[in-house]
Amino acid sequence: MPATSSTTEFSRTGNGSSSASTKDIEVQLQQLREDISALAKTVAAVGNEKATEVKGKAKRAAADATDASYQMVEAAKSQAVSLERDLERQIRANPIQSVAIAAGAGFLFALLSRR
């Protein structure tokens, strides 16, 4: 009979420990889920901050590029106006030579466009 009673005690102790262990594991799993959830939220927040930072840098770079291109257009425009004034001045100084050059350029253009 002593063997039977120890088996019964083992069953009770085993079931009791098993039940407690299962509850402990469930609690630990729940805590792990909460920790993972909090970690995911933290990673998302950091990601959003970095995305906002990169977005701001991209906007600044685009604004700088726009300003640089505007300055280039203005420089090209002023250079074109300067060339136009120089050409006009040259035509007024030498009108016959200018007409002869224009006629020659027109003749060459006509020859090239026929081929």
Side-chain angles (χ1 to χ4, degrees):
M1 280 245 175
T4 309
S5 68
S6 66
T7 308
T8 308
E9 287 177 19
F10 178 73
S11 297
R12 287 184 203 155
T13 309
N15 284 340
S17 295
S18 175
S19 180
S21 296
T22 304
K23 287 182 182 179
D24 288 343
I25 291 172
E26 288 176 3
V27 168
Q28 289 176 357
L29 284 175
Q30 182 61 34
Q31 183 64 37
L32 184 60
R33 286 185 192 113
E34 291 171 2
D35 290 346
I36 290 173
S37 176
L39 181 62
K41 288 177 183 177
T42 302
V43 168
V46 169
N48 286 337
E49 288 175 14
K50 289 293 181 184
T52 303
E53 181 181 327
V54 169
K55 188 177 180 181
K57 286 181 181 178
K59 283 184 179 182
R60 285 190 297 276
D64 292 345
T66 301
D67 291 343
S69 64
Y70 180 74
Q71 290 173 357
M72 290 175 139
V73 166
E74 288 299 316
K77 194 183 289 186
S78 67
Q79 188 175 8
V81 168
S82 175
L83 287 173
E84 181 185 11
R85 288 180 185 157
D86 290 345
L87 183 62
E88 187 177 334
R89 199 174 304 123
Q90 193 70 5
I91 290 172
R92 288 183 191 271
N94 300 314
I96 294 175
Q97 183 183 7
S98 299
V99 170
I101 291 173
F107 180 73
L108 285 175
F109 180 74
L111 284 176
L112 292 175
S113 66
R114 287 188 178 165
R115 292 182 185 197

XYZ file of all heavy atoms in Angstrom:
846
model
N 0.788 -1.197 0.000
C 0.000 0.000 0.000
C 0.835 1.269 0.000
O 0.393 2.233 -0.548
C -0.886 -0.006 1.227
C -2.071 -0.822 1.098
S -3.352 0.305 1.184
C -4.653 -0.676 0.888
N 1.986 1.274 0.583
C 2.774 2.480 0.567
C 3.076 2.915 -0.851
O 3.160 4.080 -1.129
C 4.051 2.119 1.319
C 3.787 0.872 2.062
C 2.651 0.216 1.392
N 3.239 1.990 -1.774
C 3.547 2.352 -3.162
C 2.385 3.089 -3.775
O 2.548 4.015 -4.545
C 3.882 1.108 -3.971
N 1.186 2.689 -3.464
C 0.012 3.312 -4.025
C -0.153 4.727 -3.510
O -0.486 5.625 -4.247
C -1.260 2.487 -3.684
O -1.030 1.149 -4.029
C -2.459 3.023 -4.378
N 0.060 4.941 -2.242
C -0.111 6.266 -1.695
C 0.935 7.229 -2.246
O 0.645 8.390 -2.487
C -0.091 6.241 -0.175
O 1.203 5.894 0.273
N 2.165 6.777 -2.483
C 3.163 7.686 -3.052
C 2.816 8.037 -4.488
O 3.079 9.132 -4.950
C 4.561 7.071 -2.958
O 4.645 5.931 -3.780
N 2.227 7.110 -5.211
C 1.806 7.395 -6.582
C 0.684 8.418 -6.571
O 0.651 9.322 -7.385
C 1.325 6.106 -7.287
O 2.316 5.113 -7.161
C 0.993 6.359 -8.720
N -0.223 8.313 -5.644
C -1.316 9.253 -5.532
C -0.777 10.627 -5.165
O -1.191 11.641 -5.722
C -2.338 8.795 -4.480
O -2.714 7.463 -4.756
C -3.538 9.689 -4.467
N 0.154 10.665 -4.263
C 0.759 11.936 -3.884
C 1.513 12.554 -5.062
O 1.459 13.742 -5.290
C 1.716 11.737 -2.703
C 1.012 11.485 -1.396
C 2.007 11.229 -0.283
O 3.187 11.587 -0.448
O 1.606 10.682 0.732
N 2.190 11.696 -5.821
C 2.926 12.186 -6.991
C 1.957 12.793 -8.011
O 2.216 13.839 -8.580
C 3.724 11.039 -7.634
C 4.465 11.456 -8.850
C 5.614 12.249 -8.754
C 4.034 11.096 -10.110
C 6.294 12.649 -9.875
C 4.719 11.495 -11.240
C 5.861 12.273 -11.123
N 0.811 12.134 -8.195
C -0.176 12.630 -9.143
C -0.701 13.979 -8.707
O -0.852 14.892 -9.494
C -1.347 11.652 -9.270
O -0.899 10.429 -9.774
N -0.976 14.123 -7.436
C -1.487 15.392 -6.947
C -0.419 16.484 -7.075
O -0.685 17.581 -7.510
C -1.906 15.257 -5.485
C -3.153 14.499 -5.290
C -3.527 14.503 -3.829
N -4.388 13.380 -3.546
C -4.532 12.808 -2.385
N -3.847 13.233 -1.349
N -5.351 11.808 -2.219
N 0.781 16.148 -6.647
C 1.866 17.113 -6.713
C 2.183 17.444 -8.164
O 2.383 18.597 -8.523
C 3.133 16.558 -6.031
O 2.785 16.108 -4.753
C 4.211 17.603 -5.958
N 2.194 16.448 -8.998
C 2.478 16.656 -10.414
C 1.430 17.521 -11.065
O 1.724 18.461 -11.786
N 0.174 17.260 -10.807
C -0.902 18.062 -11.393
C -0.880 19.466 -10.838
O -1.084 20.432 -11.549
C -2.270 17.407 -11.122
C -2.521 16.215 -12.015
O -1.878 16.092 -13.047
N -3.432 15.349 -11.609
N -0.624 19.589 -9.558
C -0.544 20.905 -8.946
C 0.603 21.693 -9.513
O 0.486 22.871 -9.822
N 1.737 21.122 -9.683
C 2.915 21.804 -10.240
C 2.686 22.123 -11.698
O 3.050 23.178 -12.186
C 4.160 20.919 -10.106
O 4.473 20.729 -8.754
N 2.077 21.178 -12.378
C 1.822 21.361 -13.799
C 0.848 22.511 -14.012
O 1.022 23.341 -14.897
C 1.268 20.073 -14.405
O 0.921 20.277 -15.746
N -0.171 22.578 -13.195
C -1.146 23.657 -13.295
C -0.505 24.994 -12.978
O -0.732 25.984 -13.668
C -2.309 23.370 -12.345
O -3.254 24.405 -12.423
N 0.334 25.016 -11.948
C 1.022 26.245 -11.594
C 2.012 26.629 -12.675
O 2.130 27.802 -13.034
C 1.726 26.077 -10.255
N 2.713 25.663 -13.222
C 3.676 25.946 -14.286
C 2.969 26.465 -15.526
O 3.447 27.384 -16.187
C 4.465 24.682 -14.640
O 5.240 24.268 -13.546
N 1.834 25.907 -15.849
C 1.072 26.351 -17.015
C 0.617 27.791 -16.829
O 0.728 28.607 -17.742
C -0.145 25.432 -17.248
O 0.299 24.095 -17.379
C -0.907 25.838 -18.480
N 0.147 28.109 -15.626
C -0.290 29.478 -15.348
C 0.893 30.437 -15.411
O 0.784 31.538 -15.940
C -0.982 29.564 -13.995
C -2.352 28.940 -13.995
C -3.029 29.075 -12.658
C -4.392 28.399 -12.693
N -5.071 28.485 -11.414
N 2.034 30.010 -14.876
C 3.239 30.849 -14.936
C 3.652 31.102 -16.395
O 4.001 32.222 -16.770
C 4.407 30.190 -14.189
C 4.219 30.221 -12.672
O 3.382 31.026 -12.202
O 4.920 29.450 -11.998
N 3.608 30.047 -17.187
C 3.973 30.181 -18.604
C 3.009 31.114 -19.316
O 3.418 31.966 -20.104
C 4.036 28.795 -19.283
C 5.225 28.006 -18.730
C 4.134 28.933 -20.786
C 5.273 26.566 -19.182
N 1.720 30.970 -19.021
C 0.717 31.838 -19.641
C 0.948 33.296 -19.257
O 0.856 34.198 -20.082
C -0.693 31.385 -19.254
C -1.118 30.102 -19.929
C -2.483 29.617 -19.455
O -3.130 30.326 -18.631
O -2.897 28.536 -19.887
N 1.261 33.527 -17.984
C 1.538 34.886 -17.519
C 2.785 35.431 -18.206
O 2.822 36.575 -18.658
C 1.693 34.914 -15.975
C 2.272 36.234 -15.500
C 0.354 34.635 -15.305
N 3.806 34.596 -18.286
C 5.040 35.024 -18.937
C 4.812 35.301 -20.431
O 5.360 36.268 -20.981
C 6.141 33.976 -18.753
C 6.657 33.909 -17.336
C 7.681 32.804 -17.146
O 7.967 32.038 -18.063
N 8.228 32.719 -15.930
N 4.011 34.457 -21.089
C 3.684 34.685 -22.503
C 2.917 35.989 -22.688
O 3.181 36.749 -23.628
C 2.886 33.511 -23.073
C 3.676 32.254 -23.392
C 2.738 31.131 -23.825
C 4.702 32.535 -24.477
N 1.978 36.257 -21.795
C 1.221 37.508 -21.874
C 2.153 38.702 -21.688
O 2.066 39.697 -22.401
C 0.085 37.527 -20.831
C -0.769 38.762 -20.896
C -1.459 38.917 -22.247
O -1.833 37.952 -22.908
N -1.618 40.160 -22.673
N 3.070 38.602 -20.719
C 4.043 39.668 -20.489
C 4.943 39.840 -21.722
O 5.236 40.963 -22.128
C 4.905 39.354 -19.253
C 5.888 40.440 -18.900
C 5.202 41.735 -18.504
O 4.161 41.737 -17.869
N 5.782 42.847 -18.910
N 5.334 38.736 -22.314
C 6.163 38.788 -23.517
C 5.412 39.463 -24.670
O 5.977 40.290 -25.386
C 6.597 37.374 -23.908
C 7.551 37.250 -25.091
C 8.843 38.000 -24.796
C 7.832 35.794 -25.390
N 4.129 39.151 -24.818
C 3.307 39.802 -25.859
C 3.235 41.314 -25.629
O 3.340 42.106 -26.564
C 1.904 39.202 -25.865
C 1.821 37.835 -26.464
C 0.369 37.347 -26.549
N 0.338 35.936 -26.870
C -0.083 34.985 -26.055
N -0.553 35.290 -24.850
N -0.075 33.720 -26.434
N 3.040 41.700 -24.368
C 2.971 43.130 -24.041
C 4.305 43.816 -24.311
O 4.342 44.925 -24.840
C 2.558 43.312 -22.582
C 1.121 42.914 -22.298
C 0.782 42.898 -20.819
O 1.655 43.242 -19.999
O -0.360 42.528 -20.485
N 5.398 43.133 -23.968
C 6.730 43.703 -24.225
C 6.984 43.860 -25.724
O 7.519 44.873 -26.172
C 7.825 42.822 -23.605
C 7.831 42.878 -22.083
O 7.178 43.785 -21.520
O 8.482 42.000 -21.472
N 6.589 42.856 -26.484
C 6.764 42.931 -27.950
C 5.904 44.042 -28.531
O 6.338 44.784 -29.413
C 6.444 41.566 -28.608
C 7.535 40.561 -28.255
C 6.307 41.702 -30.116
C 7.252 39.141 -28.694
N 4.696 44.179 -28.020
C 3.814 45.252 -28.478
C 4.418 46.625 -28.179
O 4.425 47.520 -29.032
C 2.450 45.115 -27.820
O 1.616 46.193 -28.180
N 4.946 46.777 -26.976
C 5.570 48.053 -26.599
C 6.803 48.316 -27.456
O 7.040 49.449 -27.898
C 5.946 48.038 -25.115
N 7.579 47.279 -27.709
C 8.766 47.414 -28.554
C 8.374 47.816 -29.970
O 9.023 48.689 -30.579
C 9.563 46.104 -28.560
C 10.842 46.088 -29.382
C 11.827 47.112 -28.831
C 11.456 44.698 -29.376
N 7.332 47.202 -30.501
C 6.864 47.543 -31.848
C 6.422 49.004 -31.914
O 6.717 49.708 -32.899
C 5.719 46.621 -32.252
N 5.745 49.469 -30.878
C 5.310 50.871 -30.843
C 6.510 51.811 -30.794
O 6.541 52.843 -31.455
C 4.389 51.121 -29.652
C 3.024 50.495 -29.812
C 2.165 50.698 -28.580
C 0.828 49.989 -28.725
N 0.009 50.110 -27.529
N 7.521 51.437 -30.005
C 8.726 52.261 -29.898
C 9.463 52.317 -31.231
O 9.895 53.390 -31.671
C 9.659 51.704 -28.802
O 8.949 51.670 -27.578
C 10.895 52.548 -28.657
N 9.595 51.172 -31.879
C 10.267 51.121 -33.187
C 9.487 51.950 -34.205
O 10.077 52.678 -35.012
C 10.430 49.654 -33.657
C 10.848 49.579 -35.105
C 11.435 48.933 -32.776
N 8.174 51.871 -34.175
C 7.354 52.656 -35.098
C 7.535 54.152 -34.848
O 7.642 54.938 -35.789
C 5.882 52.270 -34.960
N 7.596 54.549 -33.584
C 7.772 55.966 -33.253
C 9.133 56.458 -33.732
O 9.240 57.544 -34.313
C 7.625 56.186 -31.749
N 10.173 55.659 -33.511
C 11.515 56.039 -33.974
C 11.534 56.107 -35.499
O 12.116 57.027 -36.076
C 12.574 55.045 -33.437
C 13.913 55.257 -34.117
C 12.718 55.186 -31.936
N 10.890 55.157 -36.144
C 10.808 55.158 -37.602
C 10.105 56.394 -38.129
O 10.532 56.997 -39.113
N 9.027 56.782 -37.464
C 8.302 57.982 -37.874
C 9.156 59.232 -37.698
O 9.134 60.137 -38.528
C 6.997 58.122 -37.089
C 5.943 57.145 -37.547
O 5.980 56.661 -38.674
N 5.008 56.834 -36.675
N 9.912 59.290 -36.605
C 10.792 60.440 -36.381
C 11.853 60.523 -37.467
O 12.118 61.597 -38.013
C 11.464 60.329 -35.006
C 10.542 60.573 -33.839
C 11.228 60.339 -32.497
O 12.466 60.240 -32.460
O 10.511 60.245 -31.492
N 12.447 59.388 -37.793
C 13.483 59.360 -38.838
C 12.876 59.720 -40.185
O 13.482 60.443 -40.976
C 14.153 57.982 -38.914
C 15.026 57.683 -37.742
C 16.234 58.592 -37.706
C 17.123 58.284 -36.534
N 18.244 59.190 -36.412
N 11.685 59.219 -40.462
C 11.020 59.530 -41.727
C 10.736 61.023 -41.830
O 10.932 61.637 -42.883
C 9.723 58.729 -41.858
N 10.299 61.619 -40.745
C 10.040 63.060 -40.722
C 11.330 63.837 -40.939
O 11.365 64.819 -41.681
C 9.388 63.458 -39.387
O 8.185 62.702 -39.207
C 9.075 64.930 -39.345
N 12.406 63.373 -40.305
C 13.707 64.034 -40.455
C 14.197 63.956 -41.897
O 14.642 64.956 -42.470
C 14.713 63.356 -39.520
C 16.090 63.953 -39.548
C 17.036 63.211 -38.613
O 16.590 62.724 -37.561
O 18.228 63.118 -38.958
N 14.087 62.781 -42.494
C 14.527 62.598 -43.886
C 13.642 63.411 -44.826
O 14.130 64.016 -45.785
C 14.513 61.098 -44.257
C 14.694 60.891 -45.744
C 15.592 60.363 -43.493
N 12.371 63.459 -44.535
C 11.449 64.236 -45.356
C 11.809 65.723 -45.319
O 11.805 66.405 -46.340
C 10.015 64.028 -44.847
C 8.947 64.622 -45.710
C 7.564 64.277 -45.137
C 6.450 64.831 -45.941
N 5.132 64.530 -45.375
N 12.147 66.223 -44.138
C 12.569 67.618 -44.007
C 13.846 67.898 -44.779
O 13.971 68.917 -45.460
N 14.806 66.963 -44.683
C 16.057 67.132 -45.437
C 15.793 67.132 -46.943
O 16.401 67.906 -47.687
C 17.043 66.020 -45.078
C 17.665 66.175 -43.718
C 18.643 65.056 -43.422
C 19.256 65.188 -42.047
N 20.177 64.079 -41.735
N 14.899 66.274 -47.387
C 14.564 66.209 -48.812
C 13.901 67.507 -49.276
O 14.197 68.011 -50.360
C 13.645 65.019 -49.089
N 13.029 68.052 -48.440
C 12.381 69.317 -48.793
C 13.395 70.447 -48.882
O 13.335 71.282 -49.790
C 11.297 69.674 -47.770
C 10.021 68.896 -47.941
C 8.956 69.357 -46.963
C 7.670 68.586 -47.147
N 6.619 69.046 -46.240
N 14.347 70.469 -47.924
C 15.387 71.508 -47.965
C 16.259 71.353 -49.209
O 16.609 72.341 -49.859
C 16.235 71.461 -46.697
C 15.522 72.028 -45.478
C 16.460 72.188 -44.286
N 17.014 70.932 -43.809
C 16.409 70.100 -42.959
N 15.205 70.403 -42.501
N 16.993 68.986 -42.558
N 16.598 70.118 -49.560
C 17.421 69.875 -50.747
C 16.671 70.293 -52.007
O 17.254 70.881 -52.923
C 17.815 68.406 -50.829
N 15.379 70.014 -52.059
C 14.572 70.408 -53.215
C 14.482 71.928 -53.311
O 14.574 72.498 -54.408
C 13.172 69.803 -53.113
N 14.326 72.588 -52.186
C 14.268 74.056 -52.188
C 15.602 74.648 -52.631
O 15.629 75.606 -53.422
C 13.899 74.576 -50.800
N 16.706 74.050 -52.164
C 18.024 74.525 -52.575
C 18.230 74.328 -54.075
O 18.769 75.202 -54.756
C 19.134 73.795 -51.806
C 19.151 74.167 -50.333
O 18.502 75.181 -49.956
O 19.812 73.446 -49.550
N 17.802 73.181 -54.587
C 17.931 72.906 -56.020
C 17.074 73.877 -56.838
O 17.495 74.354 -57.897
C 17.533 71.467 -56.319
N 15.887 74.172 -56.336
C 15.015 75.113 -57.028
C 15.650 76.499 -57.065
O 15.644 77.170 -58.108
C 13.646 75.187 -56.321
O 13.066 73.891 -56.316
C 12.713 76.160 -57.015
N 16.213 76.937 -55.943
C 16.879 78.243 -55.892
C 18.075 78.291 -56.840
O 18.270 79.275 -57.557
C 17.338 78.558 -54.462
C 16.186 78.819 -53.520
O 15.055 79.082 -54.015
O 16.396 78.753 -52.294
N 18.856 77.213 -56.856
C 20.029 77.170 -57.736
C 19.617 77.214 -59.198
O 20.229 77.935 -60.010
C 20.851 75.918 -57.455
N 18.569 76.491 -59.558
C 18.125 76.497 -60.955
C 17.549 77.860 -61.331
O 17.746 78.337 -62.451
C 17.105 75.394 -61.207
O 15.935 75.607 -60.461
N 16.861 78.491 -60.390
C 16.329 79.826 -60.658
C 17.471 80.813 -60.907
O 17.398 81.637 -61.817
C 15.465 80.289 -59.480
C 14.875 81.662 -59.671
C 13.816 81.872 -60.554
C 15.380 82.757 -58.981
C 13.280 83.131 -60.733
C 14.847 84.019 -59.151
C 13.796 84.197 -60.032
O 13.283 85.454 -60.209
N 18.524 80.708 -60.100
C 19.674 81.588 -60.288
C 20.349 81.325 -61.635
O 20.779 82.265 -62.315
C 20.675 81.396 -59.145
C 20.172 81.937 -57.828
C 21.092 81.593 -56.669
O 22.091 80.894 -56.840
N 20.749 82.075 -55.478
N 20.420 80.059 -62.052
C 21.016 79.732 -63.353
C 20.179 80.313 -64.494
O 20.728 80.829 -65.464
C 21.148 78.223 -63.523
C 22.177 77.590 -62.657
S 22.117 75.808 -62.849
C 23.849 75.429 -62.883
N 18.868 80.200 -64.365
C 17.978 80.746 -65.403
C 18.150 82.260 -65.481
O 18.222 82.828 -66.580
C 16.507 80.358 -65.114
C 15.550 81.172 -65.959
C 16.295 78.874 -65.342
N 18.219 82.912 -64.335
C 18.405 84.368 -64.324
C 19.751 84.753 -64.944
O 19.837 85.723 -65.704
C 18.300 84.914 -62.895
C 16.893 84.900 -62.334
C 15.932 85.744 -63.140
O 16.291 86.868 -63.528
O 14.812 85.275 -63.386
N 20.803 83.986 -64.641
C 22.116 84.271 -65.221
C 22.089 84.074 -66.736
O 22.645 84.890 -67.490
C 23.181 83.380 -64.589
N 21.449 83.008 -67.197
C 21.345 82.759 -68.643
C 20.534 83.857 -69.315
O 20.869 84.301 -70.431
C 20.712 81.398 -68.896
N 19.482 84.282 -68.651
C 18.641 85.342 -69.213
C 19.428 86.645 -69.340
O 19.366 87.324 -70.378
C 17.416 85.556 -68.318
C 16.321 86.373 -68.959
C 15.161 86.615 -67.990
C 14.387 85.369 -67.752
N 13.175 85.611 -66.923
N 20.172 86.990 -68.314
C 20.951 88.230 -68.370
C 22.059 88.134 -69.420
O 22.360 89.108 -70.107
C 21.528 88.577 -67.003
O 22.495 87.628 -66.621
N 22.649 86.949 -69.579
C 23.670 86.773 -70.603
C 23.060 86.886 -72.006
O 23.654 87.489 -72.901
C 24.362 85.423 -70.442
C 25.560 85.245 -71.343
C 26.289 83.947 -71.074
O 25.825 83.105 -70.315
N 27.439 83.788 -71.702
N 21.857 86.332 -72.202
C 21.188 86.433 -73.496
C 20.865 87.890 -73.821
O 21.025 88.341 -74.962
C 19.915 85.587 -73.494
N 20.414 88.637 -72.834
C 20.121 90.060 -73.036
C 21.406 90.810 -73.386
O 21.412 91.667 -74.290
C 19.437 90.658 -71.781
C 19.394 92.172 -71.837
C 18.040 90.086 -71.614
N 22.489 90.471 -72.713
C 23.778 91.111 -73.001
C 24.237 90.804 -74.426
O 24.688 91.701 -75.149
C 24.821 90.637 -71.995
O 26.088 91.150 -72.328
N 24.108 89.552 -74.847
C 24.474 89.175 -76.218
C 23.596 89.891 -77.245
O 24.073 90.319 -78.299
C 24.385 87.665 -76.398
C 25.471 86.837 -75.730
C 25.161 85.348 -75.852
C 26.831 87.145 -76.326
N 22.307 90.011 -76.936
C 21.396 90.710 -77.844
C 21.812 92.177 -77.993
O 21.839 92.713 -79.108
C 19.965 90.620 -77.309
C 18.947 91.309 -78.197
C 17.558 91.308 -77.591
O 17.408 90.960 -76.400
O 16.627 91.677 -78.317
N 22.144 92.816 -76.903
C 22.581 94.218 -76.962
C 23.881 94.358 -77.754
O 24.032 95.283 -78.561
C 22.760 94.785 -75.567
C 21.459 95.019 -74.851
C 21.672 95.573 -73.463
N 20.405 95.680 -72.765
C 20.278 95.708 -71.464
N 21.359 95.637 -70.690
N 19.101 95.808 -70.900
N 24.832 93.431 -77.528
C 26.096 93.471 -78.270
C 25.855 93.284 -79.766
O 26.443 93.981 -80.603
C 27.062 92.409 -77.762
C 27.592 92.708 -76.383
O 27.442 93.859 -75.915
O 28.152 91.778 -75.758
N 24.981 92.334 -80.112
C 24.669 92.080 -81.516
C 23.987 93.292 -82.143
O 24.323 93.704 -83.270
C 23.774 90.834 -81.635
C 23.404 90.393 -83.049
C 24.661 90.018 -83.833
C 22.444 89.227 -82.992
N 23.050 93.873 -81.431
C 22.367 95.068 -81.942
C 23.355 96.212 -82.136
O 23.319 96.916 -83.171
C 21.264 95.492 -80.967
C 20.394 96.616 -81.488
C 19.273 96.946 -80.522
O 18.869 96.072 -79.739
O 18.824 98.106 -80.548
N 24.237 96.392 -81.219
C 25.265 97.434 -81.323
C 26.169 97.177 -82.543
O 26.496 98.093 -83.295
C 26.101 97.468 -80.035
C 26.864 98.747 -79.842
C 27.582 98.818 -78.471
N 26.656 98.638 -77.344
C 26.770 97.701 -76.412
N 27.769 96.850 -76.426
N 25.889 97.631 -75.444
N 26.536 95.911 -82.749
C 27.387 95.538 -83.885
C 26.651 95.778 -85.210
O 27.248 96.261 -86.181
C 27.781 94.061 -83.753
C 28.873 93.598 -84.655
C 30.236 94.190 -84.276
O 30.392 94.875 -83.280
N 31.211 93.931 -85.106
N 25.370 95.459 -85.264
C 24.582 95.676 -86.491
C 24.463 97.165 -86.792
O 24.594 97.595 -87.954
C 23.185 95.021 -86.358
C 23.325 93.499 -86.380
C 22.248 95.464 -87.471
C 22.048 92.761 -86.056
N 24.245 97.966 -85.764
C 24.138 99.421 -85.987
C 25.473 100.016 -86.428
O 25.504 100.955 -87.216
C 23.657 100.121 -84.713
C 22.197 99.847 -84.417
C 21.749 100.623 -83.185
N 20.445 100.176 -82.749
C 19.303 100.683 -83.184
N 19.295 101.656 -84.059
N 18.161 100.223 -82.744
N 26.568 99.449 -85.946
C 27.888 99.970 -86.324
C 28.255 99.567 -87.752
O 28.876 100.358 -88.477
C 28.938 99.474 -85.345
N 27.882 98.355 -88.187
C 28.238 97.860 -89.529
C 27.001 97.268 -90.214
O 26.873 96.053 -90.338
C 29.317 96.779 -89.424
C 30.576 97.284 -88.766
O 31.045 98.363 -89.100
N 31.107 96.518 -87.828
N 26.098 98.100 -90.716
C 24.848 97.567 -91.276
C 25.059 96.766 -92.559
O 24.424 95.729 -92.762
C 23.987 98.804 -91.531
C 24.921 99.948 -91.533
C 26.104 99.563 -90.723
N 25.953 97.180 -93.448
C 26.138 96.476 -94.727
C 26.772 95.108 -94.463
O 26.346 94.100 -95.039
C 27.010 97.325 -95.685
C 26.242 98.597 -96.047
C 27.372 96.541 -96.926
C 27.038 99.572 -96.878
N 27.764 95.066 -93.617
C 28.406 93.802 -93.284
C 27.400 92.855 -92.622
O 27.383 91.659 -92.903
C 29.577 94.054 -92.335
C 30.359 92.811 -91.972
C 31.474 93.109 -90.965
O 31.559 94.214 -90.454
N 32.301 92.120 -90.705
N 26.528 93.353 -91.787
C 25.524 92.539 -91.103
C 24.534 91.947 -92.097
O 24.160 90.776 -91.991
C 24.775 93.380 -90.076
O 25.659 93.874 -89.100
N 24.109 92.746 -93.081
C 23.177 92.249 -94.097
C 23.860 91.161 -94.918
O 23.255 90.134 -95.247
C 22.666 93.407 -94.993
C 21.896 92.873 -96.189
C 21.788 94.345 -94.185
N 25.141 91.365 -95.285
C 25.869 90.367 -96.074
C 26.016 89.062 -95.283
O 25.840 87.970 -95.833
C 27.239 90.910 -96.466
N 26.303 89.145 -93.990
C 26.426 87.937 -93.152
C 25.087 87.230 -93.051
O 25.004 86.001 -93.167
C 26.979 88.306 -91.758
C 28.437 88.737 -91.873
C 26.836 87.129 -90.783
C 29.024 89.292 -90.587
N 24.016 87.982 -92.875
C 22.683 87.386 -92.784
C 22.307 86.703 -94.098
O 21.744 85.600 -94.101
C 21.652 88.448 -92.423
N 22.637 87.325 -95.225
C 22.332 86.724 -96.524
C 23.135 85.435 -96.708
O 22.604 84.422 -97.194
C 22.639 87.715 -97.635
N 24.417 85.458 -96.346
C 25.239 84.251 -96.459
C 24.721 83.132 -95.573
O 24.683 81.961 -95.968
N 24.321 83.440 -94.347
C 23.775 82.433 -93.439
C 22.473 81.865 -93.995
O 22.238 80.655 -93.934
C 23.550 83.040 -92.059
N 21.631 82.711 -94.569
C 20.385 82.249 -95.179
C 20.650 81.338 -96.362
O 19.970 80.319 -96.541
N 21.661 81.672 -97.173
C 22.019 80.841 -98.328
C 22.495 79.462 -97.857
O 22.075 78.439 -98.404
C 23.103 81.560 -99.155
C 23.541 80.787 -100.345
C 22.718 80.660 -101.464
C 24.787 80.165 -100.365
C 23.132 79.937 -102.566
C 25.202 79.442 -101.456
C 24.377 79.331 -102.569
N 23.368 79.436 -96.841
C 23.856 78.149 -96.318
C 22.720 77.323 -95.719
O 22.653 76.113 -95.911
C 24.934 78.390 -95.243
C 26.308 78.828 -95.753
C 27.210 79.149 -94.570
C 26.917 77.742 -96.603
N 21.825 77.966 -95.029
C 20.683 77.272 -94.451
C 19.825 76.666 -95.558
O 19.357 75.517 -95.431
C 19.855 78.211 -93.574
C 18.673 77.564 -92.955
C 18.827 76.680 -91.895
C 17.385 77.818 -93.404
C 17.725 76.059 -91.314
C 16.294 77.205 -92.828
C 16.459 76.325 -91.780
N 19.597 77.411 -96.631
C 18.803 76.909 -97.763
C 19.480 75.705 -98.394
O 18.813 74.717 -98.743
C 18.582 78.018 -98.780
N 20.797 75.742 -98.562
C 21.520 74.621 -99.138
C 21.420 73.377 -98.252
O 21.201 72.256 -98.749
C 23.000 74.968 -99.344
C 23.327 75.870 -100.546
C 24.827 76.200 -100.536
C 22.958 75.195 -101.842
N 21.583 73.562 -96.990
C 21.532 72.431 -96.069
C 20.137 71.841 -95.923
O 19.975 70.630 -95.745
C 22.059 72.843 -94.692
C 23.555 73.170 -94.617
C 23.905 73.676 -93.215
C 24.379 71.948 -94.938
N 19.116 72.668 -96.021
C 17.759 72.171 -95.851
C 17.260 71.415 -97.079
O 16.332 70.621 -96.980
C 16.806 73.312 -95.513
O 16.708 74.206 -96.603
N 17.863 71.607 -98.227
C 17.460 70.890 -99.442
C 17.948 69.461 -99.427
O 17.401 68.617 -100.127
C 17.987 71.620 -100.681
C 17.246 72.884 -100.958
C 17.656 73.457 -102.266
N 16.892 74.674 -102.543
C 17.175 75.549 -103.433
N 18.259 75.380 -104.200
N 16.426 76.596 -103.621
N 18.987 69.175 -98.716
C 19.564 67.811 -98.728
C 18.943 66.956 -97.727
O 18.350 66.725 -96.970
C 21.057 67.901 -98.434
C 21.755 68.560 -99.569
C 23.229 68.598 -99.304
N 23.867 69.347 -100.385
C 25.118 69.311 -100.640
N 25.918 68.590 -99.922
N 25.633 69.998 -101.619
